[in-house]
Amino acid sequence: MIRYNSGPQAAHRVVALEPQPREHIVSQFGSGTFAAAETYLSRFMLIDPLAMAAEERHLYEMSVNDAFLRTAIDEHVLVITPFQHTINHLSEIARGAPWQLRHGDR
């Protein structure tokens, strides 16, 4: 599976019924993760390493214990840092739009 573009805010609900019912909202990994598919994240993706680690922990709880091993990341992918999250929040506060702080909030 190739994730061509987007970022951690793009989510896809995935449900697997076998071997046991399980559900996950995929945001950084590919939607084929439950089916043991490999994922390639293209250079047009935005990745948030902290969000990716949290998602991997949830996948592990869903019996997917090799999500990182089956994920290849282009060397030119854009990385979102905690500093950028903070700058974004401060920009929204300065604009006087506190309702937008929920988007991407941790």
Side-chain angles (χ1 to χ4, degrees):
M1 146 144 231
I2 297 175
R3 289 214 46 195
Y4 179 74
N5 63 8
S6 193
Q9 81 286 0
H12 306 281
R13 181 175 176 253
V14 178
V15 177
L17 300 176
E18 295 182 13
Q20 74 274 357
R22 54 194 173 150
E23 178 179 334
H24 178 71
I25 307 297
V26 178
S27 64
Q28 295 279 254
F29 293 95
S31 58
T33 302
F34 275 162
E38 294 185 4
T39 298
Y40 174 75
L41 303 178
S42 84
R43 67 186 178 104
F44 302 106
M45 289 288 298
L46 295 168
I47 63 168
D48 179 336
L50 298 177
M52 200 166 189
E55 182 176 351
E56 191 274 340
R57 281 191 302 276
H58 185 256
L59 286 166
Y60 188 83
E61 292 169 4
M62 303 262 105
S63 300
V64 177
N65 56 11
D66 59 353
F68 276 125
L69 293 176
R70 290 189 282 117
T71 302
I73 302 172
D74 189 280
E75 65 184 37
H76 299 293
V77 71
L78 299 174
V79 178
I80 300 168
T81 67
F83 178 76
Q84 290 162 316
H85 279 287
T86 301
I87 293 298
N88 184 46
H89 287 268
L90 292 174
S91 297
E92 294 301 322
I93 291 169
R95 287 179 51 210
W99 57 270
Q100 290 185 347
L101 291 177
R102 291 187 305 244
H103 182 73
D105 216 357
R106 291 180 195 254

